[in-house]
Each structure stands twice: as structure tokens, then as C-alpha cells.
Amino acid sequence: MKLTNQDKIYFPEDDISKGEIVDYYQSVAEYILPHLKNRPLSLNRFPNGIEKQGFYQKDASDNIPDWIKTTEVFSDSTDKYIDYIICNDKATLAYLNNLGCIDMNPWNSSLPDLEHPDYLVLDLDPSKKNTFDDVIETTLQVHEVLNAVKVEGYCKTSGSTGIHIYIPMGGKYDFDQVKDFAHILMKQVNEKLPKLTTLERSLQKRSSNKIYLDYLQNRQGQTLASVYSIRPKEGASVSMPLEWNELKPGLMPTDFTIHNALERIKKKGDLFKPVLGKGIDMMAALEMLA
């Protein structure tokens, strides 16, 4: 495989080049690849760096190398089949970085069964007037709700302004079941923090100082930036798993960047490995809620 223009600057303010993005992903490949394995990817491409207009791409082009793995999925919205790229190895990872993919955005489900997600995602999305301490407070409330129904969740910074909480489902439930369960959990959080959180999806109707409790990420084809993924933001922050006891005021998503992520990952190991485990008993949790 031939990599091109490795000196091209992707992060002008930080003087980070395409080659450094490739190097980072190669260095964390053993940690990130299990979370990408056999999952269709939505490509978020910035071929001219983060200060230029990027674009999303789902359908693999006709001129991709024949060794790149793809999977064909029918799209109801476009009424046609889409060839999604699958990233199972370091070479594909480098190929995607070379295309301008700075972050990796996998589906919640994986081959061979794309109808049943491997995990549930709770996306805490702050509004303009929220601080990251507000996000931390909301995340800790989610943790309390999960503890009450004896469900183990795993959190990570989004790498941007929010936090994602993942719950292993083990491919035992379909997307509608998982989405409905996520909705129930988020309603519990909203009832506990009505002044700080909202379930209102519309930006126009949403208060500018409330955190959106997004459970709709649990629909087939929805994607979030993978754990250990660089984000196309100034500072080159990385979506980093956290231990629950690290969620304290003063923590910032910008604490984890391309420059220090590998050192932390080596020290902590893959804190997100249990997300890919056998999954919770959702029915038991619903009974406890009832």
C-alpha cells in the first residue's frame, strides 16, 4: 500500500500531519481494532485538514484496493445497496487515515448479524452554556441509575464536549428493544436532573443550558466516534475510556490527546474490553425498574 502526502498538515494550530495521524493509529491498533472489527464504518473525511470542509461517505468507491473488506447493506432511505468498508487490520486503518479519516465511526452491530447491536449507547450531549462539570454530574447520575438496576456501564469522553456511556448487550436484542431500554434509562436520569437535562431533540426547542440525553444513537446505522479515536478538533483530542472514580470536577476531554493517549492506554489496558462481552440481562433490569 502506498501512503501519500504524509507531510500534509491536518491540524494547523497544532502542526500535526497526516503521517502523525497514521502513526498514532498504528501505535494503538491492537486496542482499537477489536472495537472496529466486522463493523460497517461511516467515513468522516477531512482530506485537507480540519480547518477545511470535510464530508461523510458511506459507500466505498469503485477504485478501492481489492484487499479492502466491504459489506453490502440495503438502505431504505436511498432504496439501494451500500458497500460499507470494514476495518479489521492495520493496513485498512492506514488506508482510511490516508483518505483523510481522522476519527473512526463504527456501527453498534457487527457481522454476521447487523440486526442486533453488541452494545447500547447513551450519548450525553451538552448545549452551548453547559460546562464539562455539568456533563460529569449527569454521567454520575447515569451511573446511579445503572447501579440501581445492577447494570454495568462503561464511559468514555467523546473527544469533543460530551461523554458516552456504553452497556454491553451481547447481540441478544434487536435495535428497537435496545433503543426503548435506552429511552427508559434516559427518562430516569431526566427525572433526577430536570433542570440540567432534556430529552428534547430539536435544537430550536432545546434550552441552551441543558444536556441532551440522546438515546436515538441506538438505531441501526447510527455511529459514534470509536473509543481511542482521534477527533477532528483543535488539540487532536482522543475519545478515552474512564474509570468511574476519575469523573471529578475539573476533568476535561482535552486532557487526552494524540500526544499522551498511548501512554495512558498502556498503563490502564483496554478499559472498554468488557463492552464487547456477553451482555446484560435486559429483562431482569426492566423488572427491577418496574
Side-chain angles (χ1 to χ4, degrees), residues 170-204:
K172 294 183 286 189
Y173 310 98
D174 64 32
F175 274 96
D176 283 339
Q177 290 173 308
V178 171
K179 175 172 63 68
D180 290 345
F181 183 50
H183 190 192
I184 291 168
L185 293 174
M186 288 302 213
K187 283 197 289 186
Q188 294 275 319
V189 175
N190 182 232
E191 287 172 9
K192 302 282 187 181
L193 297 173
K195 294 182 179 179
L196 182 57
T197 65
T198 181
L199 291 165
E200 176 55 61
R201 188 182 182 199
S202 169
L203 280 170
Q204 288 74 27

PDB file of all heavy atoms in Angstrom, residues 170-204:
ATOM      1  N   GLY A 170     -24.470  -7.839  23.965  1.00  0.00           N
ATOM      2  CA  GLY A 170     -24.152  -9.183  23.513  1.00  0.00           C
ATOM      3  C   GLY A 170     -24.930  -9.660  22.307  1.00  0.00           C
ATOM      4  O   GLY A 170     -25.007 -10.868  22.049  1.00  0.00           O
ATOM      5  N   GLY A 171     -25.525  -8.738  21.551  1.00  0.00           N
ATOM      6  CA  GLY A 171     -26.271  -9.132  20.355  1.00  0.00           C
ATOM      7  C   GLY A 171     -27.514  -9.949  20.644  1.00  0.00           C
ATOM      8  O   GLY A 171     -27.999 -10.682  19.783  1.00  0.00           O
ATOM      9  N   LYS A 172     -28.068  -9.790  21.854  1.00  0.00           N
ATOM     10  CA  LYS A 172     -29.226 -10.606  22.257  1.00  0.00           C
ATOM     11  C   LYS A 172     -30.565  -9.936  21.973  1.00  0.00           C
ATOM     12  O   LYS A 172     -31.614 -10.576  22.062  1.00  0.00           O
ATOM     13  CB  LYS A 172     -29.128 -10.929  23.756  1.00  0.00           C
ATOM     14  CG  LYS A 172     -27.952 -11.832  24.109  1.00  0.00           C
ATOM     15  CD  LYS A 172     -27.934 -12.196  25.570  1.00  0.00           C
ATOM     16  CE  LYS A 172     -27.495 -11.058  26.460  1.00  0.00           C
ATOM     17  NZ  LYS A 172     -27.275 -11.471  27.857  1.00  0.00           N
ATOM     18  N   TYR A 173     -30.543  -8.648  21.654  1.00  0.00           N
ATOM     19  CA  TYR A 173     -31.789  -7.889  21.469  1.00  0.00           C
ATOM     20  C   TYR A 173     -31.700  -7.102  20.167  1.00  0.00           C
ATOM     21  O   TYR A 173     -30.613  -6.747  19.713  1.00  0.00           O
ATOM     22  CB  TYR A 173     -32.010  -6.947  22.656  1.00  0.00           C
ATOM     23  CG  TYR A 173     -31.874  -7.632  23.991  1.00  0.00           C
ATOM     24  CD1 TYR A 173     -30.688  -7.556  24.717  1.00  0.00           C
ATOM     25  CD2 TYR A 173     -32.921  -8.367  24.525  1.00  0.00           C
ATOM     26  CE1 TYR A 173     -30.554  -8.193  25.936  1.00  0.00           C
ATOM     27  CE2 TYR A 173     -32.799  -9.013  25.748  1.00  0.00           C
ATOM     28  CZ  TYR A 173     -31.610  -8.925  26.449  1.00  0.00           C
ATOM     29  OH  TYR A 173     -31.479  -9.574  27.663  1.00  0.00           O
ATOM     30  N   ASP A 174     -32.872  -6.791  19.593  1.00  0.00           N
ATOM     31  CA  ASP A 174     -32.837  -6.024  18.347  1.00  0.00           C
ATOM     32  C   ASP A 174     -32.727  -4.522  18.650  1.00  0.00           C
ATOM     33  O   ASP A 174     -32.795  -4.098  19.804  1.00  0.00           O
ATOM     34  CB  ASP A 174     -34.035  -6.347  17.450  1.00  0.00           C
ATOM     35  CG  ASP A 174     -35.383  -5.943  18.059  1.00  0.00           C
ATOM     36  OD1 ASP A 174     -35.448  -4.933  18.803  1.00  0.00           O
ATOM     37  OD2 ASP A 174     -36.384  -6.628  17.785  1.00  0.00           O
ATOM     38  N   PHE A 175     -32.585  -3.730  17.591  1.00  0.00           N
ATOM     39  CA  PHE A 175     -32.346  -2.298  17.774  1.00  0.00           C
ATOM     40  C   PHE A 175     -33.507  -1.597  18.473  1.00  0.00           C
ATOM     41  O   PHE A 175     -33.294  -0.712  19.307  1.00  0.00           O
ATOM     42  CB  PHE A 175     -32.042  -1.630  16.431  1.00  0.00           C
ATOM     43  CG  PHE A 175     -30.600  -1.703  16.044  1.00  0.00           C
ATOM     44  CD1 PHE A 175     -30.140  -2.709  15.203  1.00  0.00           C
ATOM     45  CD2 PHE A 175     -29.682  -0.782  16.526  1.00  0.00           C
ATOM     46  CE1 PHE A 175     -28.797  -2.782  14.844  1.00  0.00           C
ATOM     47  CE2 PHE A 175     -28.342  -0.847  16.183  1.00  0.00           C
ATOM     48  CZ  PHE A 175     -27.894  -1.855  15.341  1.00  0.00           C
ATOM     49  N   ASP A 176     -34.722  -1.964  18.149  1.00  0.00           N
ATOM     50  CA  ASP A 176     -35.871  -1.314  18.781  1.00  0.00           C
ATOM     51  C   ASP A 176     -35.913  -1.599  20.279  1.00  0.00           C
ATOM     52  O   ASP A 176     -36.205  -0.705  21.088  1.00  0.00           O
ATOM     53  CB  ASP A 176     -37.174  -1.779  18.127  1.00  0.00           C
ATOM     54  CG  ASP A 176     -37.419  -1.122  16.778  1.00  0.00           C
ATOM     55  OD1 ASP A 176     -36.821  -0.050  16.534  1.00  0.00           O
ATOM     56  OD2 ASP A 176     -38.184  -1.678  15.973  1.00  0.00           O
ATOM     57  N   GLN A 177     -35.625  -2.831  20.664  1.00  0.00           N
ATOM     58  CA  GLN A 177     -35.611  -3.178  22.082  1.00  0.00           C
ATOM     59  C   GLN A 177     -34.529  -2.395  22.826  1.00  0.00           C
ATOM     60  O   GLN A 177     -34.763  -1.866  23.917  1.00  0.00           O
ATOM     61  CB  GLN A 177     -35.371  -4.685  22.248  1.00  0.00           C
ATOM     62  CG  GLN A 177     -36.527  -5.556  21.816  1.00  0.00           C
ATOM     63  CD  GLN A 177     -36.170  -7.029  21.841  1.00  0.00           C
ATOM     64  OE1 GLN A 177     -35.154  -7.454  21.269  1.00  0.00           O
ATOM     65  NE2 GLN A 177     -36.989  -7.823  22.519  1.00  0.00           N
ATOM     66  N   VAL A 178     -33.359  -2.320  22.221  1.00  0.00           N
ATOM     67  CA  VAL A 178     -32.242  -1.610  22.857  1.00  0.00           C
ATOM     68  C   VAL A 178     -32.533  -0.114  22.944  1.00  0.00           C
ATOM     69  O   VAL A 178     -32.289   0.530  23.970  1.00  0.00           O
ATOM     70  CB  VAL A 178     -30.927  -1.889  22.084  1.00  0.00           C
ATOM     71  CG1 VAL A 178     -29.802  -1.006  22.589  1.00  0.00           C
ATOM     72  CG2 VAL A 178     -30.546  -3.364  22.214  1.00  0.00           C
ATOM     73  N   LYS A 179     -33.086   0.447  21.869  1.00  0.00           N
ATOM     74  CA  LYS A 179     -33.422   1.881  21.869  1.00  0.00           C
ATOM     75  C   LYS A 179     -34.473   2.194  22.932  1.00  0.00           C
ATOM     76  O   LYS A 179     -34.359   3.199  23.646  1.00  0.00           O
ATOM     77  CB  LYS A 179     -33.921   2.302  20.483  1.00  0.00           C
ATOM     78  CG  LYS A 179     -34.410   3.753  20.398  1.00  0.00           C
ATOM     79  CD  LYS A 179     -34.706   4.167  18.975  1.00  0.00           C
ATOM     80  CE  LYS A 179     -35.822   3.365  18.339  1.00  0.00           C
ATOM     81  NZ  LYS A 179     -37.141   3.661  18.965  1.00  0.00           N
ATOM     82  N   ASP A 180     -35.481   1.349  23.053  1.00  0.00           N
ATOM     83  CA  ASP A 180     -36.528   1.584  24.047  1.00  0.00           C
ATOM     84  C   ASP A 180     -35.972   1.497  25.464  1.00  0.00           C
ATOM     85  O   ASP A 180     -36.358   2.280  26.346  1.00  0.00           O
ATOM     86  CB  ASP A 180     -37.663   0.570  23.867  1.00  0.00           C
ATOM     87  CG  ASP A 180     -38.471   0.823  22.593  1.00  0.00           C
ATOM     88  OD1 ASP A 180     -38.331   1.913  22.018  1.00  0.00           O
ATOM     89  OD2 ASP A 180     -39.230  -0.079  22.185  1.00  0.00           O
ATOM     90  N   PHE A 181     -35.069   0.560  25.682  1.00  0.00           N
ATOM     91  CA  PHE A 181     -34.438   0.440  27.007  1.00  0.00           C
ATOM     92  C   PHE A 181     -33.598   1.682  27.302  1.00  0.00           C
ATOM     93  O   PHE A 181     -33.630   2.227  28.409  1.00  0.00           O
ATOM     94  CB  PHE A 181     -33.579  -0.826  27.060  1.00  0.00           C
ATOM     95  CG  PHE A 181     -32.940  -1.072  28.404  1.00  0.00           C
ATOM     96  CD1 PHE A 181     -33.683  -1.033  29.577  1.00  0.00           C
ATOM     97  CD2 PHE A 181     -31.579  -1.357  28.494  1.00  0.00           C
ATOM     98  CE1 PHE A 181     -33.095  -1.262  30.818  1.00  0.00           C
ATOM     99  CE2 PHE A 181     -30.978  -1.588  29.728  1.00  0.00           C
ATOM    100  CZ  PHE A 181     -31.737  -1.546  30.892  1.00  0.00           C
ATOM    101  N   ALA A 182     -32.855   2.156  26.299  1.00  0.00           N
ATOM    102  CA  ALA A 182     -32.059   3.376  26.467  1.00  0.00           C
ATOM    103  C   ALA A 182     -32.956   4.567  26.799  1.00  0.00           C
ATOM    104  O   ALA A 182     -32.608   5.411  27.646  1.00  0.00           O
ATOM    105  CB  ALA A 182     -31.252   3.655  25.201  1.00  0.00           C
ATOM    106  N   HIS A 183     -34.118   4.633  26.143  1.00  0.00           N
ATOM    107  CA  HIS A 183     -35.067   5.711  26.402  1.00  0.00           C
ATOM    108  C   HIS A 183     -35.542   5.671  27.851  1.00  0.00           C
ATOM    109  O   HIS A 183     -35.613   6.705  28.537  1.00  0.00           O
ATOM    110  CB  HIS A 183     -36.252   5.587  25.440  1.00  0.00           C
ATOM    111  CG  HIS A 183     -37.170   6.763  25.454  1.00  0.00           C
ATOM    112  ND1 HIS A 183     -38.411   6.763  24.852  1.00  0.00           N
ATOM    113  CD2 HIS A 183     -37.049   8.002  26.029  1.00  0.00           C
ATOM    114  CE1 HIS A 183     -38.995   7.931  25.035  1.00  0.00           C
ATOM    115  NE2 HIS A 183     -38.187   8.699  25.751  1.00  0.00           N
ATOM    116  N   ILE A 184     -35.859   4.485  28.345  1.00  0.00           N
ATOM    117  CA  ILE A 184     -36.301   4.333  29.738  1.00  0.00           C
ATOM    118  C   ILE A 184     -35.215   4.796  30.708  1.00  0.00           C
ATOM    119  O   ILE A 184     -35.490   5.519  31.670  1.00  0.00           O
ATOM    120  CB  ILE A 184     -36.686   2.857  30.009  1.00  0.00           C
ATOM    121  CG1 ILE A 184     -37.955   2.494  29.251  1.00  0.00           C
ATOM    122  CG2 ILE A 184     -36.868   2.609  31.509  1.00  0.00           C
ATOM    123  CD1 ILE A 184     -38.257   0.999  29.224  1.00  0.00           C
ATOM    124  N   LEU A 185     -33.979   4.417  30.435  1.00  0.00           N
ATOM    125  CA  LEU A 185     -32.870   4.829  31.306  1.00  0.00           C
ATOM    126  C   LEU A 185     -32.704   6.345  31.293  1.00  0.00           C
ATOM    127  O   LEU A 185     -32.518   6.973  32.345  1.00  0.00           O
ATOM    128  CB  LEU A 185     -31.576   4.152  30.852  1.00  0.00           C
ATOM    129  CG  LEU A 185     -31.487   2.631  31.018  1.00  0.00           C
ATOM    130  CD1 LEU A 185     -30.204   2.106  30.387  1.00  0.00           C
ATOM    131  CD2 LEU A 185     -31.542   2.238  32.499  1.00  0.00           C
ATOM    132  N   MET A 186     -32.785   6.939  30.108  1.00  0.00           N
ATOM    133  CA  MET A 186     -32.611   8.384  29.999  1.00  0.00           C
ATOM    134  C   MET A 186     -33.768   9.138  30.665  1.00  0.00           C
ATOM    135  O   MET A 186     -33.569  10.227  31.227  1.00  0.00           O
ATOM    136  CB  MET A 186     -32.477   8.793  28.527  1.00  0.00           C
ATOM    137  CG  MET A 186     -31.156   8.400  27.888  1.00  0.00           C
ATOM    138  SD  MET A 186     -29.695   9.083  28.710  1.00  0.00           S
ATOM    139  CE  MET A 186     -28.601   9.313  27.302  1.00  0.00           C
ATOM    140  N   LYS A 187     -34.967   8.585  30.619  1.00  0.00           N
ATOM    141  CA  LYS A 187     -36.091   9.222  31.317  1.00  0.00           C
ATOM    142  C   LYS A 187     -35.840   9.228  32.820  1.00  0.00           C
ATOM    143  O   LYS A 187     -36.165  10.201  33.509  1.00  0.00           O
ATOM    144  CB  LYS A 187     -37.398   8.506  30.980  1.00  0.00           C
ATOM    145  CG  LYS A 187     -37.942   8.854  29.603  1.00  0.00           C
ATOM    146  CD  LYS A 187     -39.413   8.492  29.423  1.00  0.00           C
ATOM    147  CE  LYS A 187     -39.620   7.014  29.332  1.00  0.00           C
ATOM    148  NZ  LYS A 187     -41.034   6.674  29.011  1.00  0.00           N
ATOM    149  N   GLN A 188     -35.246   8.155  33.326  1.00  0.00           N
ATOM    150  CA  GLN A 188     -34.901   8.089  34.748  1.00  0.00           C
ATOM    151  C   GLN A 188     -33.909   9.198  35.115  1.00  0.00           C
ATOM    152  O   GLN A 188     -34.053   9.872  36.133  1.00  0.00           O
ATOM    153  CB  GLN A 188     -34.283   6.727  35.070  1.00  0.00           C
ATOM    154  CG  GLN A 188     -35.227   5.553  34.932  1.00  0.00           C
ATOM    155  CD  GLN A 188     -36.066   5.330  36.179  1.00  0.00           C
ATOM    156  OE1 GLN A 188     -35.573   5.436  37.287  1.00  0.00           O
ATOM    157  NE2 GLN A 188     -37.333   5.034  35.993  1.00  0.00           N
ATOM    158  N   VAL A 189     -32.916   9.380  34.255  1.00  0.00           N
ATOM    159  CA  VAL A 189     -31.909  10.419  34.501  1.00  0.00           C
ATOM    160  C   VAL A 189     -32.549  11.800  34.442  1.00  0.00           C
ATOM    161  O   VAL A 189     -32.281  12.669  35.290  1.00  0.00           O
ATOM    162  CB  VAL A 189     -30.754  10.302  33.479  1.00  0.00           C
ATOM    163  CG1 VAL A 189     -29.759  11.456  33.656  1.00  0.00           C
ATOM    164  CG2 VAL A 189     -30.057   8.965  33.619  1.00  0.00           C
ATOM    165  N   ASN A 190     -33.403  12.013  33.448  1.00  0.00           N
ATOM    166  CA  ASN A 190     -34.074  13.299  33.291  1.00  0.00           C
ATOM    167  C   ASN A 190     -34.952  13.634  34.501  1.00  0.00           C
ATOM    168  O   ASN A 190     -35.026  14.797  34.938  1.00  0.00           O
ATOM    169  CB  ASN A 190     -34.905  13.297  32.009  1.00  0.00           C
ATOM    170  CG  ASN A 190     -35.609  14.605  31.740  1.00  0.00           C
ATOM    171  OD1 ASN A 190     -36.815  14.637  31.512  1.00  0.00           O
ATOM    172  ND2 ASN A 190     -34.884  15.708  31.776  1.00  0.00           N
ATOM    173  N   GLU A 191     -35.606  12.629  35.064  1.00  0.00           N
ATOM    174  CA  GLU A 191     -36.436  12.846  36.253  1.00  0.00           C
ATOM    175  C   GLU A 191     -35.588  13.240  37.463  1.00  0.00           C
ATOM    176  O   GLU A 191     -36.030  14.014  38.308  1.00  0.00           O
ATOM    177  CB  GLU A 191     -37.235  11.579  36.564  1.00  0.00           C
ATOM    178  CG  GLU A 191     -38.375  11.336  35.574  1.00  0.00           C
ATOM    179  CD  GLU A 191     -39.034   9.981  35.765  1.00  0.00           C
ATOM    180  OE1 GLU A 191     -38.716   9.302  36.781  1.00  0.00           O
ATOM    181  OE2 GLU A 191     -39.861   9.593  34.912  1.00  0.00           O
ATOM    182  N   LYS A 192     -34.356  12.730  37.511  1.00  0.00           N
ATOM    183  CA  LYS A 192     -33.455  13.048  38.627  1.00  0.00           C
ATOM    184  C   LYS A 192     -32.832  14.439  38.459  1.00  0.00           C
ATOM    185  O   LYS A 192     -32.552  15.130  39.433  1.00  0.00           O
ATOM    186  CB  LYS A 192     -32.333  12.008  38.710  1.00  0.00           C
ATOM    187  CG  LYS A 192     -32.798  10.572  38.887  1.00  0.00           C
ATOM    188  CD  LYS A 192     -33.196  10.287  40.304  1.00  0.00           C
ATOM    189  CE  LYS A 192     -33.499   8.800  40.492  1.00  0.00           C
ATOM    190  NZ  LYS A 192     -33.928   8.493  41.876  1.00  0.00           N
ATOM    191  N   LEU A 193     -32.609  14.835  37.201  1.00  0.00           N
ATOM    192  CA  LEU A 193     -31.936  16.122  36.919  1.00  0.00           C
ATOM    193  C   LEU A 193     -32.751  16.938  35.912  1.00  0.00           C
ATOM    194  O   LEU A 193     -32.283  17.261  34.822  1.00  0.00           O
ATOM    195  CB  LEU A 193     -30.528  15.876  36.365  1.00  0.00           C
ATOM    196  CG  LEU A 193     -29.512  15.180  37.264  1.00  0.00           C
ATOM    197  CD1 LEU A 193     -28.231  14.879  36.500  1.00  0.00           C
ATOM    198  CD2 LEU A 193     -29.192  16.026  38.497  1.00  0.00           C
ATOM    199  N   PRO A 194     -33.969  17.330  36.265  1.00  0.00           N
ATOM    200  CA  PRO A 194     -34.833  18.024  35.287  1.00  0.00           C
ATOM    201  C   PRO A 194     -34.335  19.410  34.900  1.00  0.00           C
ATOM    202  O   PRO A 194     -34.642  19.888  33.809  1.00  0.00           O
ATOM    203  CB  PRO A 194     -36.181  18.107  36.014  1.00  0.00           C
ATOM    204  CG  PRO A 194     -35.830  18.044  37.473  1.00  0.00           C
ATOM    205  CD  PRO A 194     -34.647  17.134  37.562  1.00  0.00           C
ATOM    206  N   LYS A 195     -33.581  20.070  35.780  1.00  0.00           N
ATOM    207  CA  LYS A 195     -33.094  21.417  35.474  1.00  0.00           C
ATOM    208  C   LYS A 195     -31.823  21.412  34.630  1.00  0.00           C
ATOM    209  O   LYS A 195     -31.447  22.436  34.064  1.00  0.00           O
ATOM    210  CB  LYS A 195     -32.841  22.187  36.774  1.00  0.00           C
ATOM    211  CG  LYS A 195     -34.106  22.476  37.577  1.00  0.00           C
ATOM    212  CD  LYS A 195     -33.788  23.279  38.824  1.00  0.00           C
ATOM    213  CE  LYS A 195     -35.068  23.591  39.619  1.00  0.00           C
ATOM    214  NZ  LYS A 195     -34.772  24.355  40.857  1.00  0.00           N
ATOM    215  N   LEU A 196     -31.168  20.253  34.561  1.00  0.00           N
ATOM    216  CA  LEU A 196     -29.889  20.169  33.870  1.00  0.00           C
ATOM    217  C   LEU A 196     -29.971  19.382  32.563  1.00  0.00           C
ATOM    218  O   LEU A 196     -29.151  19.573  31.672  1.00  0.00           O
ATOM    219  CB  LEU A 196     -28.839  19.519  34.791  1.00  0.00           C
ATOM    220  CG  LEU A 196     -27.409  19.367  34.272  1.00  0.00           C
ATOM    221  CD1 LEU A 196     -26.828  20.726  33.868  1.00  0.00           C
ATOM    222  CD2 LEU A 196     -26.532  18.701  35.324  1.00  0.00           C
ATOM    223  N   THR A 197     -30.979  18.496  32.444  1.00  0.00           N
ATOM    224  CA  THR A 197     -31.038  17.606  31.285  1.00  0.00           C
ATOM    225  C   THR A 197     -32.357  17.733  30.533  1.00  0.00           C
ATOM    226  O   THR A 197     -33.341  18.239  31.061  1.00  0.00           O
ATOM    227  CB  THR A 197     -30.854  16.141  31.719  1.00  0.00           C
ATOM    228  OG1 THR A 197     -31.971  15.748  32.541  1.00  0.00           O
ATOM    229  CG2 THR A 197     -29.559  15.946  32.489  1.00  0.00           C
ATOM    230  N   THR A 198     -32.347  17.239  29.302  1.00  0.00           N
ATOM    231  CA  THR A 198     -33.562  17.277  28.478  1.00  0.00           C
ATOM    232  C   THR A 198     -33.577  16.095  27.525  1.00  0.00           C
ATOM    233  O   THR A 198     -32.525  15.576  27.130  1.00  0.00           O
ATOM    234  CB  THR A 198     -33.644  18.590  27.674  1.00  0.00           C
ATOM    235  OG1 THR A 198     -34.849  18.586  26.903  1.00  0.00           O
ATOM    236  CG2 THR A 198     -32.458  18.745  26.739  1.00  0.00           C
ATOM    237  N   LEU A 199     -34.793  15.691  27.148  1.00  0.00           N
ATOM    238  CA  LEU A 199     -34.979  14.673  26.119  1.00  0.00           C
ATOM    239  C   LEU A 199     -35.454  15.301  24.806  1.00  0.00           C
ATOM    240  O   LEU A 199     -35.796  14.596  23.862  1.00  0.00           O
ATOM    241  CB  LEU A 199     -35.989  13.621  26.591  1.00  0.00           C
ATOM    242  CG  LEU A 199     -35.512  12.727  27.743  1.00  0.00           C
ATOM    243  CD1 LEU A 199     -36.676  11.982  28.373  1.00  0.00           C
ATOM    244  CD2 LEU A 199     -34.454  11.742  27.261  1.00  0.00           C
ATOM    245  N   GLU A 200     -35.461  16.635  24.764  1.00  0.00           N
ATOM    246  CA  GLU A 200     -35.894  17.367  23.576  1.00  0.00           C
ATOM    247  C   GLU A 200     -34.814  17.307  22.501  1.00  0.00           C
ATOM    248  O   GLU A 200     -33.713  17.827  22.677  1.00  0.00           O
ATOM    249  CB  GLU A 200     -36.194  18.818  23.932  1.00  0.00           C
ATOM    250  CG  GLU A 200     -36.573  19.710  22.761  1.00  0.00           C
ATOM    251  CD  GLU A 200     -37.753  19.170  21.965  1.00  0.00           C
ATOM    252  OE1 GLU A 200     -38.848  19.034  22.557  1.00  0.00           O
ATOM    253  OE2 GLU A 200     -37.566  18.856  20.772  1.00  0.00           O
ATOM    254  N   ARG A 201     -35.167  16.685  21.380  1.00  0.00           N
ATOM    255  CA  ARG A 201     -34.186  16.503  20.320  1.00  0.00           C
ATOM    256  C   ARG A 201     -33.950  17.772  19.509  1.00  0.00           C
ATOM    257  O   ARG A 201     -32.835  18.055  19.077  1.00  0.00           O
ATOM    258  CB  ARG A 201     -34.654  15.370  19.392  1.00  0.00           C
ATOM    259  CG  ARG A 201     -33.613  14.967  18.375  1.00  0.00           C
ATOM    260  CD  ARG A 201     -34.144  13.888  17.451  1.00  0.00           C
ATOM    261  NE  ARG A 201     -33.124  13.464  16.504  1.00  0.00           N
ATOM    262  CZ  ARG A 201     -33.375  12.822  15.384  1.00  0.00           C
ATOM    263  NH1 ARG A 201     -34.626  12.535  15.064  1.00  0.00           N
ATOM    264  NH2 ARG A 201     -32.406  12.468  14.568  1.00  0.00           N
ATOM    265  N   SER A 202     -35.002  18.559  19.289  1.00  0.00           N
ATOM    266  CA  SER A 202     -34.906  19.741  18.428  1.00  0.00           C
ATOM    267  C   SER A 202     -34.019  20.820  19.062  1.00  0.00           C
ATOM    268  O   SER A 202     -34.252  21.249  20.192  1.00  0.00           O
ATOM    269  CB  SER A 202     -36.302  20.316  18.182  1.00  0.00           C
ATOM    270  OG  SER A 202     -36.212  21.584  17.573  1.00  0.00           O
ATOM    271  N   LEU A 203     -33.024  21.264  18.329  1.00  0.00           N
ATOM    272  CA  LEU A 203     -32.131  22.319  18.830  1.00  0.00           C
ATOM    273  C   LEU A 203     -32.898  23.617  19.058  1.00  0.00           C
ATOM    274  O   LEU A 203     -32.597  24.370  19.988  1.00  0.00           O
ATOM    275  CB  LEU A 203     -30.996  22.552  17.833  1.00  0.00           C
ATOM    276  CG  LEU A 203     -29.827  21.557  17.865  1.00  0.00           C
ATOM    277  CD1 LEU A 203     -28.928  21.780  16.662  1.00  0.00           C
ATOM    278  CD2 LEU A 203     -29.033  21.697  19.156  1.00  0.00           C
ATOM    279  N   GLN A 204     -33.890  23.891  18.214  1.00  0.00           N
ATOM    280  CA  GLN A 204     -34.662  25.127  18.325  1.00  0.00           C
ATOM    281  C   GLN A 204     -35.501  25.142  19.607  1.00  0.00           C
ATOM    282  O   GLN A 204     -35.701  26.196  20.211  1.00  0.00           O
ATOM    283  CB  GLN A 204     -35.577  25.297  17.102  1.00  0.00           C
ATOM    284  CG  GLN A 204     -34.859  25.649  15.814  1.00  0.00           C
ATOM    285  CD  GLN A 204     -34.104  24.475  15.211  1.00  0.00           C
ATOM    286  OE1 GLN A 204     -34.484  23.324  15.433  1.00  0.00           O
ATOM    287  NE2 GLN A 204     -33.048  24.759  14.472  1.00  0.00           N
TER     288      GLN A 204
END
